[in-house]
Coordinates of all heavy atoms in Angstrom, one line a residue:
K1 N 51.7 -140.5 -34.4 CA 51.0 -139.3 -34.6 C 51.9 -138.1 -34.8 O 53.0 -138.0 -34.2 CB 50.0 -139.1 -33.4 CG 48.9 -140.1 -33.4 CD 47.9 -139.8 -32.3 CE 46.6 -140.7 -32.5 NZ 46.9 -142.1 -32.4
R2 N 51.5 -137.1 -35.5 CA 52.4 -136.0 -35.9 C 52.9 -135.2 -34.7 O 54.0 -134.7 -34.8 CB 51.7 -135.1 -36.9 CG 51.6 -135.7 -38.3 CD 51.3 -134.6 -39.4 NE 50.1 -133.9 -39.1 CZ 48.9 -134.3 -39.4 NH1 48.8 -135.5 -40.0 NH2 47.8 -133.7 -39.1
Y3 N 52.2 -135.2 -33.6 CA 52.7 -134.4 -32.5 C 53.8 -135.1 -31.8 O 54.5 -134.5 -30.9 CB 51.6 -134.1 -31.5 CG 50.8 -135.3 -31.0 CD1 51.4 -136.2 -30.2 CD2 49.4 -135.4 -31.3 CE1 50.6 -137.3 -29.7 CE2 48.7 -136.4 -30.8 CZ 49.3 -137.4 -30.0 OH 48.6 -138.5 -29.5
N4 N 54.1 -136.4 -32.2 CA 55.3 -137.1 -31.6 C 56.6 -136.8 -32.4 O 57.7 -137.1 -31.9 CB 55.0 -138.6 -31.6 CG 53.9 -139.0 -30.7 OD1 53.8 -138.5 -29.6 ND2 53.1 -140.0 -31.1
G5 N 56.4 -136.3 -33.6 CA 57.6 -136.2 -34.5 C 57.4 -137.1 -35.7 O 56.3 -137.7 -35.9
T6 N 58.4 -137.4 -36.4 CA 58.3 -138.2 -37.6 C 58.6 -139.7 -37.2 O 59.2 -140.0 -36.2 CB 59.3 -137.8 -38.7 OG1 60.6 -138.0 -38.2 CG2 59.1 -136.3 -39.1
I7 N 58.3 -140.6 -38.1 CA 58.5 -142.0 -37.9 C 60.0 -142.3 -37.8 O 60.5 -143.2 -37.2 CB 57.8 -142.9 -39.0 CG1 57.8 -144.4 -38.5 CG2 58.5 -142.7 -40.3 CD1 56.9 -144.6 -37.4
D8 N 60.8 -141.5 -38.5 CA 62.3 -141.6 -38.5 C 62.8 -141.3 -37.1 O 63.9 -141.8 -36.8 CB 62.9 -140.7 -39.5 CG 62.5 -141.0 -40.9 OD1 62.2 -142.2 -41.2 OD2 62.5 -140.1 -41.8
E9 N 62.1 -140.6 -36.3 CA 62.6 -140.2 -34.9 C 62.0 -141.1 -33.9 O 62.1 -140.9 -32.7 CB 62.2 -138.8 -34.6 CG 62.8 -137.7 -35.6 CD 62.2 -136.4 -35.3 OE1 60.9 -136.2 -35.3 OE2 63.0 -135.4 -35.3
L10 N 61.3 -142.2 -34.3 CA 60.6 -143.1 -33.3 C 61.6 -143.6 -32.3 O 62.7 -144.1 -32.6 CB 60.0 -144.2 -34.1 CG 59.2 -145.2 -33.2 CD1 58.0 -144.6 -32.6 CD2 58.8 -146.4 -34.1
L11 N 61.2 -143.6 -31.0 CA 62.0 -144.1 -29.9 C 61.1 -145.0 -29.0 O 61.6 -146.0 -28.5 CB 62.6 -143.0 -29.1 CG 63.5 -143.4 -27.9 CD1 64.7 -144.1 -28.4 CD2 63.8 -142.2 -27.0
L12 N 59.9 -144.6 -28.7 CA 59.0 -145.2 -27.7 C 58.0 -146.1 -28.4 O 57.2 -145.6 -29.3 CB 58.4 -144.2 -26.8 CG 59.3 -143.2 -26.2 CD1 58.5 -142.2 -25.4 CD2 60.3 -143.9 -25.3
E13 N 57.9 -147.3 -28.0 CA 56.9 -148.2 -28.6 C 55.5 -147.7 -28.4 O 54.6 -147.9 -29.3 CB 57.0 -149.6 -28.1 CG 56.4 -150.7 -28.9 CD 54.9 -150.8 -28.7 OE1 54.4 -150.5 -27.6 OE2 54.1 -151.2 -29.7
H14 N 55.2 -147.1 -27.3 CA 53.8 -146.7 -27.0 C 53.4 -145.5 -27.9 O 52.2 -145.1 -28.0 CB 53.6 -146.3 -25.5 CG 53.9 -144.9 -25.2 ND1 52.9 -144.0 -25.0 CD2 55.1 -144.2 -25.0 CE1 53.4 -142.8 -24.7 NE2 54.7 -142.9 -24.7
N15 N 54.4 -144.9 -28.6 CA 54.0 -143.8 -29.6 C 53.7 -144.4 -31.0 O 53.5 -143.6 -31.9 CB 55.2 -142.8 -29.7 CG 55.2 -141.9 -28.6 OD1 54.2 -141.7 -27.8 ND2 56.3 -141.2 -28.4
T16 N 53.7 -145.7 -31.1 CA 53.3 -146.2 -32.4 C 51.8 -146.4 -32.5 O 51.1 -146.6 -31.6 CB 54.0 -147.6 -32.7 OG1 53.6 -148.5 -31.7 CG2 55.5 -147.5 -32.7
D17 N 51.3 -146.4 -33.8 CA 49.9 -146.6 -34.1 C 49.8 -147.6 -35.2 O 50.6 -147.5 -36.2 CB 49.2 -145.3 -34.5 CG 48.9 -144.4 -33.3 OD1 49.8 -143.6 -33.0 OD2 47.9 -144.5 -32.7
F18 N 48.9 -148.5 -35.1 CA 48.7 -149.5 -36.2 C 47.5 -149.1 -37.0 O 46.4 -148.8 -36.5 CB 48.5 -150.9 -35.6 CG 49.6 -151.4 -34.8 CD1 49.4 -151.8 -33.5 CD2 50.9 -151.6 -35.4 CE1 50.5 -152.3 -32.7 CE2 51.9 -152.0 -34.6 CZ 51.7 -152.4 -33.3
V19 N 47.6 -149.3 -38.3 CA 46.5 -149.1 -39.3 C 46.6 -150.3 -40.2 O 47.7 -150.6 -40.8 CB 46.5 -147.8 -40.0 CG1 45.4 -147.8 -41.1 CG2 46.4 -146.6 -39.1
L20 N 45.5 -151.0 -40.5 CA 45.4 -152.0 -41.5 C 45.1 -151.5 -42.8 O 44.1 -150.7 -43.0 CB 44.4 -153.1 -41.1 CG 44.7 -154.1 -40.0 CD1 43.5 -154.9 -39.6 CD2 45.9 -154.9 -40.4
K21 N 45.9 -151.8 -43.8 CA 45.6 -151.5 -45.2 C 45.2 -152.8 -45.9 O 46.1 -153.6 -46.1 CB 46.9 -150.9 -45.9 CG 46.7 -150.5 -47.4 CD 47.9 -149.9 -47.9 CE 47.8 -149.6 -49.4 NZ 48.0 -150.9 -50.2
I22 N 43.9 -152.9 -46.2 CA 43.5 -154.1 -46.8 C 43.5 -153.9 -48.3 O 42.9 -152.9 -48.8 CB 42.0 -154.5 -46.3 CG1 42.1 -154.8 -44.8 CG2 41.5 -155.7 -47.0 CD1 41.5 -153.7 -43.9
N23 N 44.2 -154.8 -49.0 CA 44.4 -154.6 -50.4 C 43.3 -155.2 -51.3 O 43.5 -156.1 -52.1 CB 45.8 -155.2 -50.8 CG 46.9 -154.6 -50.0 OD1 47.0 -153.4 -49.9 ND2 47.8 -155.4 -49.5
T24 N 42.1 -154.6 -51.2 CA 41.0 -154.9 -52.0 C 41.0 -154.1 -53.3 O 42.0 -153.3 -53.5 CB 39.7 -154.7 -51.2 OG1 39.7 -153.4 -50.6 CG2 39.5 -155.7 -50.1
E25 N 39.9 -154.2 -54.1 CA 39.9 -153.4 -55.4 C 40.3 -152.0 -55.1 O 41.2 -151.4 -55.8 CB 38.5 -153.5 -56.0 CG 38.0 -154.9 -56.1 CD 37.3 -155.5 -54.9 OE1 37.4 -154.8 -53.8 OE2 36.8 -156.6 -54.9
T26 N 39.6 -151.3 -54.2 CA 40.0 -150.0 -53.7 C 40.5 -150.3 -52.3 O 39.7 -150.8 -51.5 CB 38.9 -149.0 -53.7 OG1 38.4 -148.9 -55.1 CG2 39.3 -147.7 -53.2
P27 N 41.7 -149.9 -51.9 CA 42.2 -150.2 -50.5 C 41.2 -149.7 -49.4 O 40.6 -148.6 -49.5 CB 43.5 -149.5 -50.4 CG 44.0 -149.3 -51.8 CD 42.7 -149.2 -52.6
V28 N 41.0 -150.5 -48.4 CA 40.2 -150.2 -47.2 C 41.2 -150.1 -46.0 O 42.0 -151.0 -45.8 CB 39.2 -151.2 -46.9 CG1 38.4 -150.9 -45.7 CG2 38.2 -151.4 -48.1

């Protein structure tokens, strides 16, 4: 999340978020 900083600055695993990108005709 943006209030944590950028993904390049990632340090703590609990600051990660998962999103599934399903590669259908239009991504879901």
Side-chain angles (χ1 to χ4, degrees):
K1 291 184 171 62
R2 284 197 301 277
Y3 55 66
N4 294 321
T6 65
I7 194 68
D8 297 333
E9 299 171 313
L10 181 65
L11 179 69
L12 307 177
E13 196 282 331
H14 91 100
N15 280 345
T16 60
D17 287 88
F18 299 123
V19 176
L20 283 175
K21 176 177 177 285
I22 297 108
N23 299 316
T24 50
E25 306 84 355
T26 301
V28 176

